[in-house]
Amino acid sequence: MRAFKTVYMRGGTSKGCMFKRDDLPTDKKEWDEIFLKVMGNPDPKQIDGMGGTVSSNNKIVVVWESDLPEVDIEYLVGQVIVGEDRIDYKANCGNMTAAVGPFAVEEKMVTVSQPVTTVRLLNQNTGKHINIEVPIDPETNTFADKGDCRIAGIDGTAAEVLVNFVNPTGAKTGKLFPTGERKESFVLPDGRVIDISVLDVGGPLVIVHAGDVGSSGTEMPEVLSGNAELSDLVEYIRGSVSIMLGFAKDLEDAVVNSPGVPKIALVSNPQTYVDIAKQPVTESEMDICARVYSIFKCHKAIPVTAACGISVAALFEATIVQAITGKVEATNGVRIGHPSGVMKIFPKVDLEKNDVQEVGVQRTARRIMDGRVYIPD
């Protein structure tokens, strides 16, 4: 068998394998076969690998020290498609981004300063810069993983890792509103016309009112993913927008070659529901309720890049989101209810220029395992 050094980490509500680029073959054409075997693909059960059978637990992150000015670390995220022989590199993962900073500190890839080390990242999926604030233990001079920060979807508490997306406007399209409109009409297969909003904040996102596609907006992921009719309709909308944005030539191509770009969110008014851990979430805790699809299934929490897009949309008039939230004070953050609880996002925008200066997200991360992962030769 072949062996590769890896660190298995949780970042936010995702987890996956972290690799240093120098520990991988210099020929990148070899990477996909390695990563697929690492996760146990194409078996959807992934019994023979590290994969967790859902998209959020199938992340690959390749990290290396940067020679670029004002950049400490560059990284590339691979989304392994469960049950298939392919990996999507088109989008960044905001949750796993939270793990890159602590990883770089623990692996001594950056100079550490106390009490907080800011690791300046460049994401190679999007070409965007992210600054990660990593707390440092004064005794060990490395990542202080213990703390009192609690994020929805993760049991217990840990150290707060602040993820600041710098100038995330148009990560893949070059525009905040890539279609040129904050809200526009979309024709469904049955001829009905609904409104959608399309934004690109760290990654393209389609936003649809849940009620327009027959969803209450409070269903749990297994219910939404198990509803074949709804899932097909959601994918039709997502695939159609993928064609509009130039990521796919037709609906089949959107499924095969652009499964993660764009993502799609079903949003609704603040509502009370019981989350995935059987805990109550009340409408007073949120500004908007959301369910996000990632790689054809409803996410068990919410992808960070999708949360960034929803929070920014709340600040701009005429979007579907602001029609629900009303005017939101950005300094207080935008609270998004999702299947695992509530996430608060802090966007800074220039309303006149249609520009997002920064989006801050509170996350936690930790090392789960390190060593060598073995794959069949």
Side-chain angles (χ1 to χ4, degrees), residues 127-177:
K128 291 295 183 177
H129 294 260
I130 303 103
N131 293 333
I132 307 288
E133 297 180 25
V134 181
I136 303 300
D137 186 309
E139 295 184 4
T140 63
N141 202 42
T142 190
F143 174 45
D145 57 355
K146 295 180 180 179
D148 58 5
C149 179
R150 185 184 300 275
I151 65 171
I154 299 298
D155 293 337
T157 64
E160 179 186 73
V161 177
L162 286 178
V163 182
N164 298 299
F165 294 86
V166 182
N167 298 320
T169 301
K172 298 296 288 186
T173 66
K175 298 178 181 179
L176 176 58
F177 297 101

Side-chain angles (χ1 to χ4, degrees), residues 83-106:
E84 299 184 23
D85 274 324
R86 60 194 176 109
I87 302 173
D88 186 4
Y89 296 100
K90 290 184 177 179
N92 184 21
C93 173
N95 275 298
M96 287 308 294
T97 294
V100 177
F103 175 83
V105 168
E106 291 181 332

Side-chain angles (χ1 to χ4, degrees), residues 205 224 263-267 290-294 297-303 306-307 310 336 338-339:
L205 176 71
L224 289 172
K263 289 182 171 57
I264 184 166
L266 311 185
V267 298
R291 299 292 185 264
V292 177
Y293 285 74
S294 177
K297 292 185 178 181
C298 181
H299 200 283
K300 292 185 177 181
I302 184 171
I310 292 170
I336 305 171
H338 57 82

Side-chain angles (χ1 to χ4, degrees), residues 3-11 14-21 23-24 34-35 38-39 50-51 57-63 76 96 98-109 142-143 145 365-374:
F4 297 92
K5 291 181 180 179
T6 190
V7 177
Y8 199 63
M9 289 191 74
R10 175 183 64 80
S14 292
K15 62 182 178 179
C17 292
M18 316 281 293
F19 294 91
K20 288 184 179 179
R21 188 179 63 178
D23 292 329
L24 295 169
I34 294 168
F35 298 154
V38 163
M39 288 302 180
M50 301 289 289
N57 297 342
N58 267 269
K59 308 292 185 177
I60 296 289
V61 186
V62 181
V63 183
L76 178 72
M96 287 308 294
V100 177
F103 175 83
V105 168
E106 291 181 332
E107 294 294 314
K108 297 179 172 54
M109 300 175 74
T142 190
F143 174 45
D145 57 355
R366 79 173 185 92
R367 178 176 295 225
I368 297 173
M369 182 208 75
D370 57 37
R372 287 176 170 80
V373 61
Y374 292 83

